[in-house]
């Protein structure tokens, strides 16, 4: 079985933790990220070489970093030319595949043995496009619903797909035996392409020419809207698992374990006469007499509100439209490692820079800033102009503006440096590459 992991989605519903280029699937809310949990599920079904991650250019290095943490760097990675929802992402993922394919969204939380249901689906994949239905625990207006129809062995034909309903309708669906739509699929790749040629022929013709033309011609559309709601070959398998799309802070509160006062905590916490709170912070957080409140912090932002107002986070995001803090977190990943902005003023910044073993930054220069590098851990090989240096922990180097320079980690442990940049114009775009 081949597995396609969809990991190109963007989202800020969990701001300030999630950002446009660092969405919820990469957050370490648990022992590992949702993305890493998804890859582990995929590895229960097949080998790394049969797993393909579909992502975008902004998230490519995050994906690589988190795969390395799992020692799963042999997974295939496809970079979308542009983000246009799940339909073109799946088409891209299966473009050169035949046989049974499993589609997994990377931003869902799942507890329970799911692989057994995929094995059941595999038996019917030649004839049906199979999705998986979650038995609702309550009426939910944020999920799509599936109405099961005729039973065929271990699966049900899909009678109807329904988009997100209002509360009254959702309540009726729960009592009428509908399922939540999980967004997971198993099907034969050739069967799926047949249905795509029937319902989206123009897009298919463009994909035949090239991936770029395929994306250009494809509308921003989900696979549900493009195919599943229109095909007569849709089937559903009910699954008994704990599932959530973690689309809100309240859904995180519901999943995390609680202390004796009903507080869900991640981070260092002291509470006095405080109950029913969600605390996700990276620093000591003390609450006194606080109830049913969310305290969410990141390196550069703090959110405090009553839990019942958690959905209004999207209004904060709207007010911050255009602000770079909505787009990027303070840590940015690159092919060689990552850097974290520690502090910044009008004419300076201080960063922590981590370079992986045997990796290097390209030879480059900056027109408008000088840099001072201090090695904190590891060994650095530094080229400044025509002079080369080896720097060890506690040693430093100065790079004047306009001078070509290169930084390399020749060692076998990560190289950590503190970079202090000074200049009248501080921007990552101020770079001239020589290689």
């Amino acid at each position: 079985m081949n597995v396609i992991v969809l990991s190109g989605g963007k989202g800020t519903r969990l701001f300030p933790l999630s950002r446009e280029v660092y969405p919820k699937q990469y957050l370490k809310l648990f022992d590992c990220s949702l993305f890493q949990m998804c890859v582990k599920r995929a590895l229960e079904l097949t080998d790394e070489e049969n797993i393909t991650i579909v992502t975008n250019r902004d998230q490519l290095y995050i994906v690589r970093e988190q795969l390395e943490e799992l020692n799963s760097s042999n997974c295939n990675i496809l970079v979308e030319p542009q983000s246009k929802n799940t339909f073109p992402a799946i088409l891209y993922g299966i473009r050169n595949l035949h046989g049974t394919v499993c589609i997994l969204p990377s931003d869902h939380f799942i507890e329970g043995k799911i692989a057994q249901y995929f094995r059941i689906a595999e038996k019917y994949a030649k004839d049906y496009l199979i999705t998986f239905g979650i038995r609702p625990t309550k009426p939910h207006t944020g999920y799509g619903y599936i109405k099961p129809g005729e039973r065929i062995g271990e699966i049900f034909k899909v009678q109807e797909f329904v988009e997100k309903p209002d509360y009254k309708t959702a309540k009726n669906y729960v009592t009428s035996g509908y399922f939540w739509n999980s967004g997971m699929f198993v099907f034969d790749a050739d069967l799926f392409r047949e249905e795509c040629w029937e319902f989206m022929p123009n897009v298919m013709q463009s994909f035949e020419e090239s991936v770029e033309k395929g994306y250009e011609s494809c509308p921003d559309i989900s696979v549900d809207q493009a195919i599943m709601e229109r095909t007569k070959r849709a089937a559903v398998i009910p699954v008994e698992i704990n599932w959530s799309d973690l689309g809100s802070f309240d859904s995180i509160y519901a999943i995390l374990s609680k202390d004796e006062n009903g507080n869900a905590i991640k981070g260092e916490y002291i509470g006095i006469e405080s109950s029913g709170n969600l605390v996700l912070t990276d620093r000591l957080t003390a609450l006194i007499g606080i109830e049913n409140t969310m305290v969410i912090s990141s390196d550069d932002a703090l959110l405090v509100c009553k839990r019942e107002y958690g959905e209004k986070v999207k209004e904060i995001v709207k007010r911050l439209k255009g602000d770079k803090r909505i787009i990027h977190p303070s840590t940015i990943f690159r092919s060689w490692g990552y850097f974290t902005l520690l502090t910044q003023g009008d004419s300076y910044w201080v960063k922590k820079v981590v370079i992986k073993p045997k990796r290097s930054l390209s030879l480059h220069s900056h027109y408008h800033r000088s840099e001072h590098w201090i090695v904190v851990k590891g060994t650095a090989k530094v080229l400044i102009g025509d002079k080369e240096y080896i720097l060890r922990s506690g040693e430093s180097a100065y790079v004047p503006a306009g001078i070509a320079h290169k930084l390399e980690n020749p060692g076998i442990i990560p190289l950590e440096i503190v970079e202090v940049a000074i200049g009248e114009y501080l921007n990552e775009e101020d770079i001239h590459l020589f290689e």
Side-chain angles (χ1 to χ4, degrees), residues 196-423:
C196 292
W197 274 109
E198 180 174 350
F199 298 111
M200 303 291 286
N202 293 337
V203 174
M204 290 297 290
Q205 182 61 50
S206 297
F207 262 96
E208 289 279 300
E209 298 178 42
S210 71
V211 172
E212 290 73 17
K213 289 185 178 180
Y215 271 81
E216 286 174 7
S217 69
C218 187
D220 189 336
I221 190 170
S222 70
V223 67
D224 289 330
Q225 294 173 315
I227 305 299
M228 298 303 292
E229 294 175 6
R230 304 161 73 183
T231 181
K232 298 183 184 302
R233 294 188 177 228
V236 61
I237 296 178
V239 296
E240 301 292 342
I241 56 172
N242 182 17
W243 174 90
S244 172
D245 79 340
L246 286 193
S248 68
F249 284 112
D250 212 40
S251 62
I252 296 175
Y253 175 82
I255 286 173
L256 290 177
S257 59
K258 317 293 190 301
D259 66 12
E260 64 276 11
N261 295 309
N263 297 301
I265 309 297
K266 184 174 176 58
E268 190 177 3
Y269 167 79
I270 298 174
I272 299 174
E273 297 180 15
S274 297
S275 62
N277 300 301
L278 174 63
V279 181
L280 305 175
T281 66
D282 54 1
R283 67 202 72 190
L284 172 62
T285 302
L287 301 183
I288 302 174
I290 303 297
E291 297 181 347
N292 303 319
T293 298
M294 302 185 332
V295 182
I296 316 294
S297 77
S298 64
D299 292 342
D300 57 355
L302 172 67
L303 170 68
V304 180
C305 72
K306 286 294 184 182
R307 277 180 39 219
E308 63 191 272
Y309 291 105
E311 293 290 339
K312 292 187 177 292
V313 169
K314 58 188 177 184
E315 296 182 19
I316 299 294
V317 173
K318 285 181 181 179
R319 293 195 184 194
L320 287 171
K321 185 176 181 180
D323 192 307
K324 65 181 181 180
R325 289 171 293 185
I326 291 295
I327 302 172
H328 294 283
S330 57
T331 296
I332 306 296
F333 291 87
R334 294 287 188 257
S335 60
W336 43 261
Y338 65 88
F339 64 84
T340 301
L341 181 64
L342 302 177
T343 187
Q344 182 173 9
D346 291 337
S347 59
Y348 72 92
W349 69 38
V350 180
K351 292 178 178 178
K352 173 186 174 181
V353 180
V354 177
I355 303 175
K356 297 177 182 179
K358 310 301 181 183
R359 304 281 181 89
S360 67
L361 281 70
S362 300
L363 182 66
H364 63 283
S365 66
H366 308 290
Y367 294 111
H368 303 291
R369 70 175 185 261
S370 62
E371 294 174 337
H372 188 193
W373 294 333
I374 305 100
V375 176
V376 177
K377 179 181 177 182
T379 300
K381 184 177 179 181
V382 178
L383 177 66
I384 303 175
D386 58 358
K387 295 182 179 180
E388 189 172 275
Y389 308 88
I390 296 294
L391 302 179
R392 296 170 180 84
S393 180
E395 298 178 334
S396 63
Y398 173 72
V399 183
I403 302 298
H405 56 282
K406 183 176 182 177
L407 182 60
E408 180 181 346
N409 179 3
I412 59 174
I413 65 172
L415 166 64
E416 296 183 14
I417 72 169
V418 172
E419 175 188 289
V420 180
I422 298 175

